[in-house]
Amino acid sequence: MSHAGIFTPLPVVFIMNRRTLLASTATLSSIGFAGCLDQLAATDSDSPSLPAAVSELEFEITDTDLDPRDEPAISVTEETGEATVEGAIWVGSKKCKEATLADVSADESDGSVELRISHGKSDDHPDNRLLGGSCDEAMSADGYEATIAIDDVVQTVTVLERDAEGNSRRASPGN
């Protein structure tokens, strides 16, 4: 009994389609991976760059009893060259938003540094989740603390807050 009929070669069309499929899959995978790399690079570049008058900056979300209706507290210690800002802002849905340091700028002509605090997407935002989700409509607040190392030319540190309700305010020590 012959087994030649059992092992018939695959049609050439199937082999060609298989090669096309494998090539397409490899190309799509590399494009998808490159997109992930671009997204990671964009995340790193989203951090504000520091002006020359600021040598170090730390920003963190804190559990605070501060009221987002109150102005932030700004203290400058000239001996150490350090400024600390503590405040709270309305961010929107706690599930999706958090306080963020949007920008840091300096104006050497008047010796000022300005921190811009806003609300932005949190790590838990549906855009950052594999299966998506939704945000609720609840309004919540985040406390924050920013500590910056400043040089001798800095005369004033100002904070500009923009919250989820669209309110903006500017605060400086002594205001």
Side-chain angles (χ1 to χ4, degrees):
M1 178 166 187
S2 171
H3 295 301
I6 296 175
F7 296 106
T8 57
L10 294 172
V12 174
V13 173
F14 176 75
I15 293 171
M16 291 304 291
N17 287 341
R18 181 176 172 267
R19 287 181 183 153
T20 303
L21 174 68
L22 291 173
S24 298
T25 303
T27 302
L28 289 175
S29 296
S30 65
I31 290 171
F33 186 66
C36 290
L37 290 177
D38 288 344
Q39 194 170 23
L40 288 174
T43 302
D44 291 342
S45 67
D46 287 344
S47 301
S49 59
L50 297 179
V54 177
S55 58
E56 291 180 39
L57 182 132
E58 291 182 30
F59 180 83
E60 65 180 322
I61 297 172
T62 60
D63 292 327
T64 182
D65 293 334
L66 296 174
D67 189 326
R69 294 172 289 215
D70 295 337
E71 286 193 9
I74 304 169
S75 62
V76 178
T77 308
E78 291 179 23
E79 297 83 38
T80 62
E82 192 171 272
T84 303
V85 178
E86 291 181 286
I89 65 167
W90 297 111
V91 295
S93 170
K94 190 65 145 179
K95 287 175 55 177
C96 299
K97 300 283 186 147
E98 65 187 7
T100 61
L101 177 63
D103 191 30
V104 179
S105 62
D107 185 350
E108 291 182 25
S109 66
D110 68 358
S112 66
V113 170
E114 182 175 84
L115 302 173
R116 290 183 198 92
I117 311 296
S118 190
H119 60 96
K121 290 181 183 178
S122 69
D123 290 340
D124 292 333
H125 192 280
D127 290 352
N128 298 333
R129 287 188 239 154
L130 181 62
L131 300 176
S134 64
C135 299
D136 56 31
E137 296 295 321
M139 183 61 72
S140 64
D142 273 349
Y144 65 87
E145 182 176 326
T147 305
I148 62 173
I150 52 179
D151 67 20
D152 296 339
V153 300
V154 176
Q155 302 297 314
T156 60
V157 175
T158 304
V159 176
L160 175 64
E161 292 179 336
R162 179 158 178 87
D163 68 18
E165 293 183 321
N167 302 313
S168 292
R169 70 173 162 213
R170 186 178 307 276
S172 297
N175 278 8

